[in-house]
Amino acid sequence: MLARQRQEVILDEVRRTGAVQVGELVQRLGVSDMTIRRDLDALARRGLVEKVYGGATSTIGASTDEPGFEAKSVRQLAEKEAIAKLAVEQVQPGSAIGLSAGTTTWTLARELDEVPDLTIVTNSVRVADALQQRGRVDRTVVLTGGVRTPSDALVGPVAVQSLRSLHLDLVFLGVHGMAPRAGFTTPNLNECETNRAFAEAAGRLVVVADSSKWSTVGISTIVDFDEVDLLISDQGLPPDARELLGEHVELLLADRRPTEEDE
């Protein structure tokens, strides 16, 4: 198969699923790891894909573009893990916490093993699955809704109404973007309403967002900077962003662990 043919196959798969992994492409196309990486480099130079650790995802476009969970789950892996380890330090035993949908909150869910006696409220199918797979013996409340979004969030009036009757000690909110004037945003209008209800139910509101979210703007604002108690991001956040955010919200920056991608 010629390089152009391989790249068309890769691009079709990215458009269909939102993300590809190098290892899967090696097996499917019967070529070497380095050949696939060169193909991804070529597609990235043309602006057709975004390279990430171990593969590539679709490029981020307009304010209503919403990559699926699989596409987002392979982005900024080291940063999300570092953020999750810092975020779990905010959780006290015996508390009631909320986890919105998203790959960072999903990563955090897998770090909650050592915190006992939690009541966890989530509208995320993926978060609920992660908690169940890790054998939590305490209570997990899964909100129902009428719509399942590309990020596998359950949203709608039933979920919003349920949240309005709850009082949570701590809510971790995942976001699509954060930017001056826009605040913390999402590309999904339905999910925005549910996330706003999460924020209103929070005794303390913590946004977890890696530095790649800076200057990204979704169509709808969930909360403004001033409405958030704590933002946990990573050391990749630019100096101007740190200064601006620091004027509105407490800021914690996690140190990512080096990966093969850095070598």
Side-chain angles (χ1 to χ4, degrees):
M1 186 180 291
L2 298 175
R4 178 177 295 181
Q5 293 173 312
R6 285 196 310 272
Q7 290 165 20
E8 286 297 324
V9 171
I10 293 169
L11 188 56
D12 285 344
E13 185 68 10
V14 170
R15 288 169 175 166
R16 186 178 68 84
T17 66
V20 291
Q21 297 282 343
V22 171
E24 293 175 357
L25 292 172
V26 166
Q27 292 184 354
R28 177 176 176 180
L29 298 175
V31 294
S32 70
D33 180 282
M34 288 305 299
T35 296
I36 293 298
R37 292 185 186 278
R38 284 195 294 269
D39 287 337
L40 295 180
D41 285 337
L43 291 170
R45 285 195 298 270
R46 293 162 60 193
L48 299 175
V49 302
E50 179 181 348
K51 285 196 68 180
V52 297
Y53 178 61
T57 68
S58 58
T59 55
I60 298 173
S63 61
T64 55
D65 285 349
E66 185 175 10
F69 185 92
E70 298 299 339
K72 292 186 289 186
S73 67
V74 296
R75 294 175 177 170
Q76 310 297 116
L77 292 176
E79 287 82 358
K80 289 173 183 175
E81 290 174 359
I83 289 168
K85 291 182 184 302
L86 197 55
V88 76
E89 297 176 5
Q90 305 294 317
V91 183
Q92 297 296 318
S95 58
I97 68 171
L99 296 176
S100 76
T103 52
T104 309
T105 49
W106 172 72
T107 304
L108 170 58
R110 297 181 296 162
E111 294 289 337
L112 288 172
D113 291 356
E114 302 304 317
V115 187
D117 302 323
L118 295 178
T119 296
I120 303 171
V121 177
T122 186
N123 69 321
S124 169
V125 175
R126 301 286 186 146
V127 167
D129 285 346
L131 293 169
Q132 183 180 38
Q133 289 168 7
R134 302 186 82 81
R136 290 216 62 111
V137 297
D138 41 17
R139 291 167 289 181
T140 299
V141 179
V142 183
L143 298 172
T144 59
V147 179
R148 185 166 175 169
T149 71
S151 61
D152 281 343
L154 298 174
V155 300
V158 176
V160 170
Q161 188 60 39
S162 297
L163 281 168
R164 286 177 177 163
S165 67
L166 298 178
H167 305 281
L168 302 172
D169 299 305
L170 185 65
V171 167
F172 291 100
L173 186 66
V175 300
H176 175 75
M178 48 183 175
R181 295 187 298 279
F184 297 103
T185 60
T186 174
N188 189 297
L189 291 171
N190 289 324
E191 192 165 352
C192 184
E193 290 302 315
T194 305
N195 284 344
R196 283 176 182 163
F198 256 123
E200 292 169 2
R204 181 170 169 81
L205 180 61
V206 179
V207 169
V208 286
D210 68 75
S211 56
S212 71
K213 305 292 180 67
W214 181 249
S215 293
T216 298
V217 179
I219 191 173
S220 185
T221 297
I222 306 168
V223 288
D224 293 323
F225 292 158
D226 289 332
E227 298 177 81
V228 173
D229 296 296
L230 173 65
L231 168 63
I232 304 179
S233 189
D234 61 80
Q235 295 289 343
L237 200 64
D240 61 331
R242 301 184 192 192
E243 182 178 357
L244 188 151
L245 287 162
E247 296 174 358
H248 300 274
V249 59
E250 182 184 354
L251 184 62
L252 290 179
L253 300 179
D255 288 313
R256 69 193 290 277
R257 293 183 178 179
T259 67
E260 293 179 4
E261 190 179 35
D262 302 314
E263 296 177 358

